[in-house]
Amino acid sequence: MQRLLDVLLSGLALVVLSPLLVPIAIALRLTGEGEVFFVQQRVGLGGKAFGLYKFATMLKNSPSIGTGTVTVKHDPRVLPLGRFLRKTKINELPQLLNIFKGDMSIIGPRPQTQRCFDAFPIASQMEIVKVRPGLSGIGSIVFRDEEELMHASAEPERFYDDVIMPYKGLLEEWYVAHQGLVTYILCIFATAWVVLFPTSRIVWSLFADLPKQPTVLVDSL
């Protein structure tokens, strides 16, 4: 049922959003470095790599500059139009193609680069690869301001590896254990809600049994 909904919803979204996606593609072609899409290898179902689509928001060689595949707030590698696309999450919309193809689901653990996937605890890695990665999911909703959190840290990469990823791993484990049509629909609703109301804590009301937050993150999530 979830796969059927993925195909129907992603196909419908591609049609409905085409008046938005096409002008953005043209704008990207005419600005920045002239690239429209950025395709990056991510860890997917069964641990197999797949090419994830995004609108191009950063310099072409950004993985070899600065913090690599980890992006921080005010990252100098992000292009001007890219800042808007990243802030609004519009840069993620080309992943509707990944969903339609079957690489991803609308809801699931966010697909990570190998470097970021390796930052998950081993137990979390083993659970995450059991399901298709998602356009959104529990980890994405809770950590919607991840770049802000890292920016506030004196050691952003260490904070990412030692604080963010262990807890995000627990959240994704929770999703794997509770996946189903109800969780799927509630996560879609929560995703739309926090896009409209970024400071909302609705996820904690919808999913009262989520893993307890580490003390250092209690006031931030």
Side-chain angles (χ1 to χ4, degrees):
M1 177 62 73
Q2 182 168 328
R3 179 61 190 144
L4 176 61
L5 287 173
D6 282 340
V7 173
L8 292 176
L9 294 177
S10 62
L12 178 62
L14 285 168
V15 173
V16 171
L17 294 174
S18 58
L20 170 66
L21 302 178
V22 172
I24 289 174
I26 294 173
L28 288 171
R29 174 63 71 182
L30 298 177
T31 61
E33 295 186 308
E35 295 291 320
V36 175
F37 296 110
F38 172 62
V39 182
Q40 187 177 52
Q41 293 298 301
R42 299 292 181 98
V43 179
L45 180 64
K48 295 180 180 179
F50 71 96
L52 177 137
Y53 303 124
K54 285 189 178 187
F55 279 129
T57 60
M58 303 179 74
L59 297 172
K60 293 179 185 178
N61 62 340
S62 60
S64 303
I65 305 173
T67 52
T69 59
V70 177
T71 307
V72 297
K73 184 181 179 183
H74 302 315
D75 200 308
R77 301 170 298 169
V78 179
L79 299 167
L81 178 56
R83 297 189 191 285
F84 168 75
L85 296 179
R86 295 176 70 90
K87 184 68 175 178
T88 58
K89 304 299 183 182
I90 291 174
N91 66 310
E92 309 284 357
L93 291 180
Q95 288 158 50
L96 290 167
L97 294 169
N98 288 116
I99 296 170
F100 195 78
K101 288 170 54 183
D103 298 324
M104 295 173 57
S105 174
I106 291 176
I107 298 299
R110 277 299 295 165
Q112 305 290 337
T113 61
Q114 190 65 56
R115 177 260 183 265
C116 295
F117 182 78
D118 290 343
F120 281 126
I122 297 298
S124 298
Q125 293 180 28
M126 293 175 66
E127 293 301 307
I128 288 169
V129 297
K130 292 180 179 179
V131 299
R132 282 188 177 90
L135 178 65
S136 182
I138 289 296
S140 305
I141 297 168
V142 172
F143 281 98
R144 60 190 178 278
D145 292 325
E146 184 175 296
E147 291 181 13
E148 297 274 354
L149 290 173
M150 292 177 62
H151 179 72
S153 173
E155 298 179 281
E157 286 191 82
R158 183 174 179 179
F159 184 75
Y160 179 82
D161 289 337
D162 296 347
V163 179
I164 291 178
M165 293 306 277
Y167 182 57
K168 187 183 286 188
L170 291 178
L171 292 172
E172 305 299 18
E173 287 185 53
W174 179 94
Y175 169 77
V176 175
H178 293 81
Q179 62 176 315
L181 191 57
V182 173
T183 302
Y184 179 87
I185 293 172
L186 288 178
C187 281
I188 292 176
F189 171 76
T191 299
W193 186 268
V194 298
V195 168
L196 295 173
F197 308 101
T199 60
S200 173
R201 293 176 54 84
I202 193 171
V203 66
W204 305 106
S205 299
L206 293 175
F207 307 108
D209 60 340
L210 288 177
K212 186 178 180 180
Q213 306 163 52
T215 303
V216 68
L217 294 175
V218 168
D219 295 328
S220 303
L221 300 179

